[in-house]
Amino acid sequence: METTDLRVGIALYANAHPDDQAGNWACEFNKEPFPFMSASDLPAQTLWITNCQFGDLKQFGLSLNPKIADEGYFRTRIKQLITELGLSNLSPDKQASLLVSIVGNTLTMIKHQLNLVHIPANSLAQAVGQLFGVREAAPRSTLLQVSELACQRYTQCERERRLEKVEIFPLWFHRFDWAHEILGQPLPTSEDLSLIPQSSLPRSGQDAALLVDWAKENNLPLFAKIRINALESTVGRLLNYGAGASSIRGETASGSGYESRNMREWCALPELSVLAGAGEIEILEVAVANGWMRSPVSLLAHKASTVSYSYGLVAENLWVGLTRRHNDFRQSRTLTTAWIQALDRMRCLLAAEKLIEHGMDIANYGYGRITVVCPQSVRSSIPQIARELGLLYPASLEGIAPLPSIKDDPFSIMQTLLASRDYASFAKVDQIILSNLQSSKS
């Protein structure tokens, strides 16, 4: 379903399952919340974003319903939004009301910024992919094969220990800043790929670190087929499903073992750069894209956009949208996608290493987010650790004293608004952005 005006709502099932019939609440943008029993009770001309997983919607025949969307519509799942904003202790009607005000503003912003006539039915990133997604190479081509093998969205991690009395929660990079960093970098084009003979590489490609330096010095959009023979223990666990290894084993400093597994063989230069500094990497083949491109999308250059939670979701979907196909909502298999994902995951990995040093364990990472397993002994230090690493922590963490806000620092202001659950200030900032977008078109 595509709608010509913004008719969107949040539908919260009591237990996040479409089989729930009691305790469900929904709220349409700019309207009042109401209880509902099933999807048939929801108005047909509104796109309802639910807190249900796609698989559950599919099981109940709702995945093809044009008015129903799953929890991942905004890339950041509805459950994640509730955690970040600290809404879990509110009644479901208030949750629905606050959520729809935020995501309604998000959709209004991106409609104005991208001149969208319709709101996408499957995901917000879909709209970006339809407009700016890079076309995939021909089936069975070497270019498509390398692109597909180099792509990886996120990483599930090998956990060395099982801690007791822990909390599991996300930490995430400031969405505007992270999107600004990715969208501001040159990205490889996905039109052609040239294999480089080993004899043309420094030391015939036998030194991965030297190869990385050579590629950076010559500004090459390089991809490499690799075999991981050994990794530093922490990186080995964090790259449990990282590039290059079908199966490698090693020992941590404490003597416990880890295993790194992945059937992929190719990786982009940003990932190779990290791997080359963390272990013994064998270079099997090297290829270079035929050039660079600039991101076709950019962020709204307004001070308010850096402290808007709603625009942060816009920013996230702009860069994620570049990894989507132009003709559907699935991930594209292109060199551009692989490069963007490598930039994202390696930045997360480096932060995850620091979090481990602070006593946390890592469950997974990717899309600018790290899910941590935090023992009670570390809990009180979260604000300081997060600030040092440029990560935000969720408002759902009770009893933690926030650090003093830093004037004119968007990251600090965003964290202060989250920690204080100042939803009114978020709404005011959103109105500034919306006014700016509307005036720029008049």
Side-chain angles (χ1 to χ4, degrees), residues 107-137:
L107 282 169
T108 304
M109 290 172 187
I110 203 166
K111 276 191 69 179
H112 281 294
Q113 183 169 342
L114 300 183
N115 294 313
L116 299 178
V117 177
H118 310 292
I119 59 175
N122 299 104
S123 72
L124 190 54
Q126 172 197 5
V128 181
Q130 287 176 341
L131 292 172
F132 306 108
V134 178
R135 292 181 179 271
E136 293 182 348

Side-chain angles (χ1 to χ4, degrees), residues 344-401:
D344 171 57
R345 289 188 299 105
M346 292 304 102
R347 168 83 178 274
C348 290
L349 181 147
L350 295 176
E353 281 191 279
K354 298 294 185 182
L355 291 168
I356 289 175
E357 291 176 5
H358 283 290
M360 300 185 192
D361 211 348
I362 309 299
N364 56 63
Y365 59 88
Y367 291 114
R369 181 181 303 112
I370 305 164
T371 302
V372 300
V373 182
C374 181
Q376 290 295 315
S377 59
V378 182
R379 197 177 190 277
S380 61
S381 302
I382 289 170
Q384 184 63 45
I385 295 170
R387 179 174 287 186
E388 289 175 0
L389 298 179
L391 295 167
L392 296 165
Y393 63 87
S396 61
L397 295 180
E398 303 281 358
I400 292 181

Side-chain angles (χ1 to χ4, degrees), residues 34 254 281 328 351 420:
F34 61 91
S254 62
I281 310 300
D328 62 35
S420 60

Side-chain angles (χ1 to χ4, degrees), residues 267-299:
C267 67
L269 180 61
E271 185 166 6
L272 180 62
S273 179
V274 173
L275 294 175
E280 182 183 334
I281 310 300
E282 184 178 351
I283 305 297
L284 304 178
E285 291 184 70
V286 172
V288 174
N290 66 335
W292 296 99
M293 60 174 273
R294 285 289 177 182
S295 166
V297 295
S298 59
L299 301 177

Side-chain angles (χ1 to χ4, degrees), residues 167-190:
E167 286 182 84
I168 300 176
F169 55 85
L171 301 173
W172 68 99
F173 291 108
H174 187 277
R175 289 189 176 96
F176 183 95
D177 289 348
W178 187 213
H180 185 267
E181 184 171 337
I182 290 181
L183 297 176
Q185 295 198 32
L187 303 170
T189 59
S190 297

